[in-house]
Amino acid sequence: MFYYRIFDDKDELNFFKSSLKYEKIVELMAQFEKEHQEYLNCEFIDFLKKSDAEAEIIEVTNIYY
């Protein structure tokens, strides 16, 4: 599993996991950008799930000690 961070057009930062390697993510992102006017992370993850059923946004929490 690979872990990525992504910013959308609303400057929202999300982290997501996918079984796809970086090169394939970049390829799918280019395809997504051709088909959409606005880039939102939740929509990209839905698009990504067509190629990787395991893809999902994950929540990252800071831990301090």
Side-chain angles (χ1 to χ4, degrees):
M1 197 59 71
F2 300 93
Y3 298 88
Y4 303 96
R5 65 181 179 175
I6 188 172
F7 288 92
D8 63 16
D9 282 352
K10 298 194 185 272
D11 289 328
E12 184 173 335
L13 169 64
N14 287 112
F15 296 86
F16 71 95
K17 65 180 182 176
S18 174
S19 62
L20 302 176
K21 292 186 177 185
Y22 178 79
E23 294 78 12
K24 183 65 175 176
I25 296 289
V26 170
E27 178 183 317
L28 290 169
M29 190 175 296
Q31 182 180 346
F32 179 79
E33 289 174 350
K34 288 179 185 177
E35 299 172 4
H36 292 81
Q37 295 293 320
E38 186 175 45
Y39 313 129
L40 301 175
N41 292 342
C42 58
E43 291 178 5
F44 177 68
I45 297 302
D46 289 342
F47 173 82
L48 189 60
K49 285 184 177 188
K50 294 174 188 172
S51 298
D52 177 13
E54 297 181 59
E56 68 177 306
I57 290 179
I58 57 174
E59 186 173 324
V60 175
T61 303
N62 293 327
I63 297 176
Y64 301 94
Y65 59 95

